[in-house]
Every structure is written in C-alpha cells, then in structure tokens.
Amino acid sequence: MDAILLQILNGLDKGSAYALIALGLTLIFGTLGVVNFAHGALFMIGAFCAVTVQRVLSLSFETVDETQKDFLGNPLKVKTPYVENWFGPEVGGTIIDWAVPLAILFAIPIMIGVGYVMERGLIKHFYKRPHADQILVTFGLAIVLQEVVKYFYGANPIQTPAPDALNGVVNLGSIIGMDIVYPVWRVVYFFFAVVIIGGIFSFLQFTTFGMVVRAGMADRETVGLLGINIDRRFTIMFGIAAAVAGLAGVMYTPINSPNYHMGMDFLVLSFVVVVVGGMGSLPGAVLAGFLLGVLESFASMNEIKSLIPGIDQIIIYVVAIIILLTRPRGLMGRKGVMED
C-alpha cells in the first residue's frame, strides 16, 4: 500500500507539470484556434527566468579578507554577493536562497510580454491559415528560441536548488499511520499547480472578462458584433497562457535542472495530454494531465517493467490510442473542434 500511494504521489507530481502546460495550450487553442508548438519553449523560458534571477542575485565582488590566509600566509580574496553587502549577510543570504520562488515575480511580466510579442508579431498572421501551417511556424519558432537559450546559457543542465527550508523530505504517511517520505518541494509544486489551475478556472468562471472570453470561445463572431474587442481579450489570454507555462517552468527547476531542450521534452507529452483530454476542453486537459501522470508513474515501477519491458516509455501513447479509438474527441472534447 505504501508503494501504491508513493506512485500516486509521483504521478500527481508529473501530472501537475503536464496539466499546467496542457492548460496553457488549451487556452490558446480554445481562444485563438491556434495549434501552438512553441508552447514548450515558453515552459523552458520560464525555467531560465529562474536561472537568470538566481545568477543576478548571486552576482558578487571580490574583497581581501585579512583575517583569512592561504597556505603561504597571504590574505585570501573573498567573494561577497552584492545582495549580502546591501542587506546584510543574513537577509541577503535568505534572498539568494529563495531565488526560485522570487523568480515568480520576475517571470510573470516577462512571460506575459513574451506571449504578447509572440501573438502580435507572428501568430496573428496565421489565424486563418491551416493548422499544418500553424504547427510548422510555431515549431520553427520553438527551435529558434531553443537555440537562443543554448547560445546564452550553454548546453549543459544548470542546477537551480530549492530554498533550504523546502529542500528536505516530509513524512506524508504519518497522518494515516504509514511511512511515506516525499520531497517537500514536489509537494509544494503540486499545491502550486492546484492554485494556478484553480485561479485560471475561477478567472474564466467568475469575472466579467472571463465570461466574455468564454462567450468568444463559443461564438467569436457574435461577441464581436456586440461591439466587444474580443481580439484584444484573446491577446491578453495568450499572454496569460504564456505566463502559466512560464510559472510551471520556474517552479519545476529544482525538480529537473533547466536545459535548452526541456521544452521539447514536455511539448510532445503535453500535446498528447491535450488530445486525450479533448481539444479545446480546459477541464479535459487538467484531468488528462493528472491521469496520464499517474499511469506513467505506475508504469515506471520495477514490477511492471519486469512484466512488460519498456512500458514506462510508451504507456502514455498506448492509453492515448485506446482512448481515441473509443472516444475520438477525447475524454471531454467538444463536437466540431478540429473536425472541419
């Protein structure tokens, strides 16, 4: 039972990332009708926002410390971060330690800006083009962004640790009398994903802006005839979707060290999640993300892999085939979406 619960936790952890990326993808497709193959690159840019914040906060200058000597008796040169010099060692050290959570404040405006530029500068010209054209141009954009990041940050993964206070483990099973030890940061990531997903759904469901967007998703032309600038609202939604992907990337950096191809690694899986959940269905994207994450986690168990070697690599695609054969529109897909 302990092993089963542990795999469920692992699945919810993976599913959180899948659900967040798929949610942003579905927001873009549901509002603009664009198949955005550059969405994985937005996840990657968010991760490197955290890397950038960590590097900026760690910038330091050298001073000569007369109290410390090397083996020849010469004073040592000591690097002191500017943040510690400005705010003191204790406060400055805490700021550096919490670089990843603080990167959220930096990533939100950056990702909204990137999304706005991407939509206004490129994607708006492909609204009425076939989906194949949209896939080609956004996939090309993803490759360009990937190579830009590789040029500035290098090809090797960059370690971005979680704060020391959240870098340990917690016994989640003690509440129910079991021994289930799990990394604190992964628990934080799950609850962070739940908050973001809940925030997006609440925004669309309970705000006037969100109601207009949902109406535009259902009947864009009629909403436009009412004198509402629906295009501007959809552009804002593109920026919000980019921010969701970016925040998912920021918080994922302590789990998986950022590298330039991490966006592509998640892109294919997130599109499978979107298709399984149903194109254009936000609840379907979230449901499929967590479902496939849990199934992938169970498929990675040694007992399962010994029975079916390699099943952990293909389980998501096998499930996708089964679901699409039985429910061609996905779990919660709407009639008419991508059926023309």
Side-chain angles (χ1 to χ4, degrees):
M1 182 60 69
D2 289 1
I4 291 174
L5 290 176
L6 184 61
Q7 293 306 319
I8 292 175
L9 289 173
N10 286 332
L12 293 176
D13 170 32
K14 290 182 179 180
S16 299
Y18 295 161
L20 283 175
I21 301 174
L23 180 64
L25 268 171
T26 306
L27 276 174
I28 293 173
F29 180 80
T31 54
L32 302 173
V34 174
V35 182
N36 181 23
F37 256 66
H39 201 70
L42 297 174
F43 177 79
M44 173 199 64
I45 292 173
F48 278 94
C49 282
V51 172
T52 302
V53 169
Q54 184 190 51
R55 288 186 173 182
V56 170
L57 293 178
S58 300
L59 287 175
S60 58
F61 61 94
E62 286 188 348
T63 56
V64 177
D65 188 352
E66 297 289 347
T67 63
Q68 300 186 51
K69 309 288 185 179
D70 61 15
F71 69 97
L72 296 176
N74 299 317
L76 286 177
K77 290 183 178 180
V78 179
K79 288 187 175 181
T80 304
Y82 286 100
V83 174
E84 290 187 6
N85 184 53
W86 295 335
F87 300 101
E90 187 173 343
V91 175
T94 302
I95 292 174
I96 295 172
D97 184 42
W98 285 78
V100 172
L102 289 174
I104 291 174
L105 303 176
F106 173 72
I108 290 175
I110 292 296
M111 295 310 303
I112 291 176
V114 169
Y116 180 84
V117 171
M118 185 185 296
E119 194 273 339
R120 289 288 89 189
L122 178 66
I123 291 180
K124 74 172 184 178
H125 302 292
F126 289 84
Y127 287 159
K128 298 181 180 180
R129 300 280 287 273
H131 291 304
D133 292 355
Q134 297 170 359
I135 291 172
L136 286 173
V137 72
T138 54
F139 186 74
L141 177 61
I143 293 175
V144 170
L145 293 173
Q146 177 177 287
E147 292 303 313
V148 169
V149 168
K150 181 181 178 182
Y151 176 80
F152 284 103
Y153 292 91
N156 296 322
I158 302 172
Q159 288 190 349
T160 314
D164 290 339
L166 303 175
N167 210 18
V169 294
V170 60
N171 190 349
L172 296 177
S174 60
I175 303 174
I176 54 177
M178 294 184 177
D179 186 24
I180 303 174
V181 178
Y182 205 70
V184 175
W185 186 259
R186 290 178 178 267
V187 177
V188 170
Y189 190 84
F190 170 73
F191 283 106
F192 173 81
V194 170
V195 169
I196 294 295
I197 292 169
I200 292 296
F201 277 95
S202 298
F203 174 73
L204 292 174
Q205 189 71 30
F206 301 116
T207 66
T208 302
F209 187 99
M211 292 178 185
V212 172
V213 168
R214 286 190 292 116
M217 292 170 68
D219 193 339
R220 179 174 185 161
E221 194 172 318
T222 300
V223 173
L225 291 174
L226 294 174
I228 298 173
N229 189 347
I230 193 64
D231 290 338
R232 185 181 67 178
R233 292 173 186 257
F234 282 176
T235 299
I236 294 173
M237 289 306 300
F238 194 102
I240 292 174
V244 170
L247 292 179
V250 168
M251 295 295 284
Y252 205 73
T253 51
I255 298 174
N256 185 15
S257 297
N259 57 75
Y260 73 98
H261 57 77
M262 67 184 301
M264 289 297 185
D265 295 342
F266 275 90
L267 177 66
V268 176
L269 291 175
S270 59
F271 260 98
V272 173
V273 170
V274 170
V275 172
V276 169
M279 293 297 290
S281 172
L282 297 176
V286 174
L287 173 63
F290 284 112
L291 173 63
L292 293 179
V294 171
L295 290 175
E296 186 180 23
S297 178
F298 275 103
S300 65
M301 295 177 67
N302 291 330
E303 294 83 355
I304 303 297
K305 290 194 290 184
S306 63
L307 293 174
I308 312 175
I311 187 62
D312 56 317
Q313 303 295 322
I314 63 171
I315 182 63
I316 287 182
Y317 307 101
V318 171
V319 173
I321 291 171
I322 294 172
I323 289 177
L324 293 178
L325 284 174
T326 55
R327 296 182 63 87
R329 297 191 183 102
L331 295 174
M332 303 180 71
R334 302 195 311 268
K335 182 179 180 180
V337 177
M338 292 194 78
E339 293 181 353
D340 51 337

